[in-house]
């Protein structure tokens, strides 16, 4: 069985990122190979330093403030408020425990040079999904797979996202070199496919997020709790700080006479969330996040992965844009791509959406499930071809 080293940035306190890393390993097992997750415990410091230097000295300091400023302020608040810090610390421990117990990890490395030596043990190295191809990750040579020096090792990019709509001209050459150095490229969004074609002249497929490559019964077998908590609540998972979205959900819940249960303080500390919803949770584990969706009546979110899990669990999910499309830090393209592919574009809400128009408006999950199966088929064809597996 072929051994595959998987490189995914799972070290953030993001439920989607951690569960996506787990899904990537499970997906590869189903594809007939032996996957091992590149252990980032020692490498993460070098990754962070490279990114900070890029933002500070590369002329993109404004982007750093826009995309990460609130998160850094939240870290300061975590230090100043011991009670809040304890809850976030507990969440962090649960994330670490999940990775340690649910994922096969490689030996720990501290530098990319050590990662290069480690890669010699594998027939292939696969760069996993998420927004790994932002300029801060490509220009700094973080998520490029350039650390894989042996040309006999197959380099694969599975469903990465650029996180931006176009490549700044000053970085075009670096992106072109990076893309052409990878043996097999796939992307997660239509916009990404266009970027790859324009930048490197490569025709690549759009494949399914690893989360969608596991079926509902597979997810529940791995993560579900023993007892269902019932389906008498609306689960709210909002990463962005858009107060009008909270107010919209409250109106909807009042009309349905249902309780709202929210997982809060995600990318940043949002103080008003603590009193906005009927019940709030902070230190849930990745499995707990999944079960909050599984046991809910319906879901409201601005999260791409929360939406995917809601669809897997056949929930009536409604989505918000986290960012305006005009903002450079917008991540909306991946949302648009999957909504379009699944023919549920009407589940995207905006300020003009009326609560009464959304009441009792169910998703045709039978149709969505079939469309997900179609996405899976295309993705399995790509994976098995590039892995040389049966």
């Amino acid at each position: 069985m072929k051994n595959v080293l998987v490189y995914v940035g799972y070290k953030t306190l993001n439920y989607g990122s951690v569960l996506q890393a787990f899904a990537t390993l499970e997906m590869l097992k189903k594809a007939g190979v032996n996957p091992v997750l590149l252990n980032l415990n020692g490498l993460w410091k070098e990754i962070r330093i490279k990114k900070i230097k890029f933002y500070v000295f590369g002329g993109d300091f404004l982007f750093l403030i826009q995309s990460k400023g609130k998160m850094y302020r939240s870290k300061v608040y975590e230090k100043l408020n011991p009670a809040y810090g304890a809850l976030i610390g507990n969440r962090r421990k649960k994330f670490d425990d999940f990775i340690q117990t649910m994922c096969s990890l490689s030996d720990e490395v501290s530098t990319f040079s050590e990662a290069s030596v480690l890669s010699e043990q594998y027939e292939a190295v696969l760069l996993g999904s998420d927004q790994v191809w932002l300029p801060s990750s490509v220009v700094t040579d973080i998520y490029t797979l350039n650390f894989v020096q042996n040309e006999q090792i197959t380099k694969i990019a599975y469903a990465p996202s650029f996180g931006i709509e176009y490549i700044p001209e000053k970085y075009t050459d670096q992106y072109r070199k990076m893309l052409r150095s990878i043996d097999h490229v796939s992307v997660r969004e239509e916009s990404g496919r266009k970027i790859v074609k324009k930048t490197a002249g490569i025709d690549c497929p759009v494949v399914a997020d690893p989360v969608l490559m596991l079926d509902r019964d597979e997810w529940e077998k791995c993560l579900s709790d023993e007892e269902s908590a019932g389906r008498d609540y609306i689960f709210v998972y909002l990463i962005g700080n858009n107060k009008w979205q909270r107010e919209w959900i409250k109106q909807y819940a009042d009309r349905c006479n249902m309780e709202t249960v929210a997982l809060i303080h995600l990318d940043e500390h949002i103080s008003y969330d603590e009193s906005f919803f009927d019940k709030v949770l902070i230190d849930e584990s990745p499995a707990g996040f999944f079960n909050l969706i599984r046991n809910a009546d319906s879901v409201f979110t601005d999260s791409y992965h929360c939406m995917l899990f809601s669809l897997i669990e056949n929930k009536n999910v409604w989505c918000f844009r986290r960012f305006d499309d005009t903002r450079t830090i917008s991540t909306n393209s991946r949302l648009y791509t999957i909504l379009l592919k699944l023919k549920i574009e009407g589940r995207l809400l905006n300020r003009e959406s009326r609560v009464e128009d959304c009441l009792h408006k169910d998703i045709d999950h039978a149709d969505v499930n079939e469309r997900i199966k179609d996405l899976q088929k295309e993705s399995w064809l790509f994976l098995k071809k590039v892995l040389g597996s049966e």
Side-chain angles (χ1 to χ4, degrees):
M1 182 179 290
K2 182 175 289 186
N3 295 311
V4 178
L5 183 64
V6 178
Y7 182 22
V8 183
Y10 64 84
K11 287 291 287 182
T12 58
L13 276 183
N14 182 287
Y15 290 93
S17 295
V18 169
L19 290 171
Q20 181 180 251
F22 168 76
T24 302
L25 297 182
E26 294 300 305
M27 171 188 74
L28 290 171
K29 291 177 188 176
K30 289 175 66 176
V33 298
N34 178 38
V36 176
L37 192 62
L38 177 60
N39 191 327
L40 298 180
N41 287 346
L43 193 59
W44 200 243
K45 181 179 180 180
E46 181 176 347
I47 291 173
R48 288 201 310 267
I49 290 173
K50 280 190 170 190
K51 286 202 171 192
I52 291 172
K53 285 182 177 178
F54 170 82
Y55 288 126
V56 173
F57 301 113
D60 284 298
F61 190 68
L62 179 60
F63 185 92
L64 174 65
I65 297 300
Q66 290 178 330
S67 62
K68 303 297 183 183
K70 292 178 180 178
M71 183 182 71
Y72 289 137
R73 285 199 294 273
S74 295
K75 287 184 178 296
V76 173
Y77 183 79
E78 182 183 339
K79 299 293 185 183
L80 297 176
N81 188 314
Y84 173 70
L87 288 169
I88 296 300
N90 197 30
R91 180 198 287 176
R92 188 174 290 111
K93 182 180 184 305
K94 290 178 179 179
F95 271 61
D96 290 340
D97 289 345
F98 180 87
I99 290 292
Q100 292 292 330
T101 58
M102 300 295 287
C103 300
S104 298
L105 287 170
S106 74
D107 294 335
E108 188 171 323
V109 296
S110 300
T111 66
F112 281 102
S113 294
E114 292 179 8
S116 179
V117 174
L118 177 70
S119 70
E120 296 288 337
Q121 302 175 25
Y122 300 87
E123 286 83 21
V125 179
L126 182 142
L127 177 66
S129 304
D130 226 337
Q131 298 171 70
V132 293
W133 280 347
L134 283 163
S136 60
S137 297
V138 173
V139 177
T140 54
D141 207 18
I142 294 173
Y143 291 113
T144 62
L145 294 186
N146 285 337
F147 70 88
V148 183
Q149 298 290 311
N150 189 337
E151 293 183 359
Q152 300 303 311
I153 300 172
T154 303
K155 295 195 287 186
I156 304 164
Y158 183 83
S161 171
F162 288 86
I164 51 179
E165 292 295 325
Y166 65 93
I167 304 302
E169 186 175 349
K170 61 183 177 179
Y171 301 138
T172 300
D173 288 343
Q174 287 159 292
Y175 271 89
R176 181 182 300 111
K177 182 178 179 181
M178 181 271 293
L179 290 167
R180 290 179 177 175
S181 72
I182 297 174
D183 298 300
H184 304 285
V185 178
S186 65
V187 292
R188 194 164 60 185
E189 303 124 352
E190 290 294 339
S191 60
R193 174 155 59 183
K194 293 176 182 177
I195 289 175
V196 172
K197 178 64 175 177
K198 180 179 179 180
T199 305
I202 298 171
D203 291 311
C204 69
V206 176
V207 294
D209 188 285
V211 163
L212 287 178
M213 298 295 280
L214 304 186
D215 297 327
R216 180 177 182 176
D217 61 338
E218 292 173 309
W219 277 112
E220 292 184 354
K221 182 179 179 181
C222 293
L223 300 184
S224 64
D225 50 15
E226 293 183 1
E227 295 183 7
S228 172
R231 302 190 174 187
D232 56 350
Y233 65 89
I234 294 170
F235 179 53
V236 182
Y237 186 81
L238 297 174
I239 298 176
N241 190 349
N242 296 292
K243 196 168 186 178
W244 72 267
Q245 296 173 0
R246 276 89 170 155
E247 293 169 345
W248 200 101
I249 295 169
K250 189 177 188 321
Q251 291 180 43
Y252 182 95
D254 288 344
R255 291 287 294 272
C256 296
N257 193 30
M258 294 191 69
E259 181 186 34
T260 52
V261 176
L263 186 51
I264 64 171
H265 303 328
L266 302 165
D267 269 7
E268 60 178 301
H269 180 271
I270 303 175
S271 58
Y272 61 76
D273 274 353
E274 294 178 3
S275 58
F276 210 97
F277 303 106
D278 296 312
K279 182 179 180 180
V280 294
L281 303 164
I282 297 176
D283 59 344
E284 285 295 313
S285 67
F289 162 78
F290 171 81
N291 283 293
L292 283 166
I293 296 171
R294 186 176 75 90
N295 296 324
D297 173 85
S298 52
V299 179
F300 285 83
T301 187
D302 61 1
S303 159
Y304 173 76
H305 282 111
C306 182
M307 180 196 68
L308 295 188
F309 280 113
S310 300
L311 293 173
I312 290 169
E313 286 295 309
N314 287 186
K315 301 300 176 182
N316 277 318
V317 58
W318 294 95
C319 304
F320 296 99
R321 295 177 182 85
R322 196 183 316 165
F323 306 104
D324 292 333
D325 288 332
T326 55
R327 297 195 67 186
T328 56
I329 58 174
S330 172
T331 59
N332 295 334
S333 61
R334 58 181 177 169
L335 189 64
Y336 300 154
T337 293
I338 194 64
L339 290 174
L340 182 63
K341 281 185 174 292
L342 300 181
K343 304 298 182 184
I344 52 172
E345 302 97 314
R347 307 307 289 191
L348 188 62
L349 302 173
N350 55 45
R351 288 178 181 271
E352 287 70 45
S353 300
R354 302 189 332 146
V355 170
E356 51 267 34
D357 293 337
C358 300
L359 296 170
H360 313 299
K361 191 174 182 179
D362 295 341
I363 293 175
D364 183 351
H365 282 292
D367 182 69
V368 169
N369 292 341
E370 286 302 313
R371 294 183 186 280
I372 290 176
K373 286 181 181 178
D374 289 339
L375 284 176
Q376 289 177 337
K377 289 176 185 177
E378 298 170 8
S379 303
W380 286 127
L381 286 174
F382 170 80
L383 264 179
K384 292 182 178 182
K385 177 182 177 181
V386 304
L387 291 169
S389 60
E390 296 297 328

